Amino acid sequence: MCDESMANDQSVAFQKPLRKCTDCKKPPHMQCLHCSKHVCIDCGQKHVALGIQQIDVAQHVLNDKMNIVDRLSASAKERVDAECTRILKQVDTQRDQAFAQIDQIVAQQKEQIRNKGVTLNELPLDEISSYIQRMTKEMEDPNETNNQLFHIDITLPKIQVRQQLSTARK
């Protein structure tokens, strides 16, 4: 009899504790993957429906955020395009100013060359040879090979895009 009572004591010790559905107190048939509660079949279906509803809400939020990112992208591209248009207008103005400066420099150079020709025509014959030598030496520059008449300095505009918000948050 001692063996029998000992066997009964051991079987009681190894029996699963009696659990109840955490929602309705019926015997549980499963553990919810969503919240780890022990639930019956009916309550388990409710938990699945709740999980699906939460996933739908979260998916809606994610879709809204993707739409916002698309709109922000379009807005940023519009700003870049507007800035490019503004820069191009400035570049057109600067080009026109540069052309005017080139024309002014050319007019001054031509005037100096014409003045040398006038001076040459007014010189006495005995001074012409030395004047031509001086004039030739003075007029070595500018020429087409060294292009020292114009110095053109160009600074390009720069458009830089940086991400402001960190996407490292998960």
Side-chain angles (χ1 to χ4, degrees), residues 15-71:
Q15 286 181 347
K16 287 186 179 178
L18 292 176
R19 293 188 181 176
K20 294 183 179 177
C21 174
T22 55
D23 290 353
C24 72
K25 309 305 179 205
K26 291 181 185 176
H29 289 62
M30 65 183 78
Q31 185 175 6
C32 179
L33 295 174
H34 170 256
C35 63
S36 299
K37 293 180 181 178
H38 293 277
V39 293
C40 68
I41 299 240
D42 293 334
C43 293
Q45 289 175 343
K46 291 177 189 174
H47 279 239
V48 169
L50 177 63
I52 289 172
Q53 181 185 10
Q54 289 175 336
I55 289 170
D56 287 345
V57 169
Q59 194 64 45
H60 180 71
V61 169
L62 295 174
N63 288 338
D64 282 349
K65 288 298 176 183
M66 289 179 67
N67 290 335
I68 289 169
V69 169
D70 286 342
R71 288 192 301 273

Side-chain angles (χ1 to χ4, degrees), residues 125-142:
L125 286 177
D126 60 333
E127 295 178 18
I128 290 178
S129 180
S130 64
Y131 181 77
I132 290 174
Q133 287 177 352
R134 271 194 331 263
M135 182 181 68
T136 305
K137 185 152 186 81
E138 288 173 8
M139 296 186 64
E140 285 180 357
D141 292 324

Side-chain angles (χ1 to χ4, degrees), residues 42-124:
D42 293 334
C43 293
Q45 289 175 343
K46 291 177 189 174
H47 279 239
V48 169
L50 177 63
I52 289 172
Q53 181 185 10
Q54 289 175 336
I55 289 170
D56 287 345
V57 169
Q59 194 64 45
H60 180 71
V61 169
L62 295 174
N63 288 338
D64 282 349
K65 288 298 176 183
M66 289 179 67
N67 290 335
I68 289 169
V69 169
D70 286 342
R71 288 192 301 273
L72 290 173
S73 170
S75 175
K77 287 177 181 179
E78 286 174 5
R79 289 193 319 262
V80 167
D81 195 41
E83 186 62 18
C84 285
T85 300
R86 185 188 65 77
I87 289 169
L88 289 173
K89 286 180 183 177
Q90 287 180 337
V91 168
D92 284 344
T93 300
Q94 290 177 2
R95 179 200 57 217
D96 294 345
Q97 291 171 350
F99 284 178
Q101 290 172 334
I102 289 170
D103 291 344
Q104 182 182 8
I105 292 169
V106 167
Q108 290 170 351
Q109 287 294 312
K110 285 181 176 181
E111 183 64 28
Q112 289 175 4
I113 292 168
R114 273 195 286 287
N115 289 342
K116 290 185 188 296
V118 169
T119 303
L120 177 63
N121 289 331
E122 294 173 352
L123 285 176

